[in-house]
Amino acid sequence: MRDIVIYDACVFIDAINMGILEALSKAGAIIHTTSLVTNEILLPVQKNAIEKWLNIQVLRYDTIDQYDELNKFRSTIYPQKNLSLPDFSVLKLAIDMAVPLYTSDSGLRKVAQIHGVQVHGSLGLVIELYRCGALSKVEAQVAIDKLQETNSRISERVIEEALHELGFMKSK
């Protein structure tokens, strides 16, 4: 698995719901994100699960200068769509570190791709974990099933594409 990945809060929550945090830990993933994203994770059970299993490096936004720099970056991105400051913080981090961005936010995905950032969603985690051997075929299928149960926004087409990429079924 890649050494460094960047998340948004939705992918953290999906990873918890899919039960793949232990596999991420087993794969040796180093997760980089920002305090603006981790502050969006409100439930103590979710925060505790992330802290227990993940090797997470958080870029803290603690000073006015940091916010000024982020807002300058934000003003250079076009089209801005309806992205939040946390979205811009992980986009900037992905660009600065030249690493993939894992996000479920379609607006953020589009802007990131425009700026040359490789983008994956929650299912991309399952695919990476399966390929590196941190998830078995059964565990990957269970994770995908759990994602379908807990994330109503994910389309059947995207699920089918991920299953096809994993070699679990033929795409139509």
Side-chain angles (χ1 to χ4, degrees):
M1 177 164 204
R2 293 182 178 102
D3 291 331
I4 299 172
V5 293
I6 297 176
Y7 283 89
D8 74 8
C10 294
V11 176
F12 275 126
I13 293 166
D14 284 346
I16 292 166
N17 291 340
M18 288 188 288
I20 62 171
L21 292 182
E22 185 175 2
L24 280 165
S25 177
K26 179 178 161 183
I30 300 172
I31 312 301
H32 288 259
T33 192
T34 70
S35 59
L36 299 177
V37 170
T38 58
N39 290 341
E40 292 181 331
I41 300 169
L42 302 176
L43 296 178
V45 68
Q46 292 172 339
K47 284 183 181 271
N48 292 340
I50 289 167
E51 289 172 6
K52 177 181 178 183
W53 290 110
L54 296 183
N55 180 1
I56 186 167
Q57 306 293 316
V58 179
L59 171 62
R60 304 220 56 85
Y61 275 86
D62 296 326
T63 68
I64 297 296
D65 289 342
Q66 288 174 306
Y67 280 100
D68 286 345
E69 182 181 331
L70 183 57
N71 279 314
K72 285 177 190 170
F73 170 77
R74 184 182 196 178
S75 69
T76 67
I77 300 296
Y78 183 81
Q80 284 192 19
K81 307 267 184 202
N82 291 321
L83 301 182
S84 67
L85 205 54
D87 292 339
F88 279 104
S89 73
V90 290
L91 175 59
K92 184 177 185 318
L93 187 56
I95 290 170
D96 289 350
M97 294 179 73
V99 297
L101 174 65
Y102 283 79
T103 181
S104 297
D105 183 294
S106 63
L108 178 55
R109 289 173 73 95
K110 289 175 186 168
V111 173
Q113 289 170 333
I114 289 169
H115 293 280
V117 175
Q118 186 180 33
V119 182
H120 306 283
S122 299
L123 287 171
L125 283 177
V126 175
I127 292 167
E128 284 289 323
L129 290 169
Y130 176 72
R131 286 186 178 151
C132 78
L135 287 179
S136 69
K137 187 171 188 171
V138 170
E139 291 168 327
Q141 183 66 59
V142 167
I144 291 170
D145 291 345
K146 285 181 182 178
L147 183 63
Q148 282 183 286
E149 292 170 12
T150 58
N151 186 334
S152 61
R153 295 178 300 175
I154 195 156
S155 76
E156 288 298 320
R157 179 190 57 78
V158 171
I159 294 284
E160 183 179 323
E161 288 172 0
L163 290 170
H164 175 71
E165 193 167 338
L166 289 165
F168 291 178
M169 66 184 287
K170 298 276 185 220
S171 183
K172 294 179 183 174

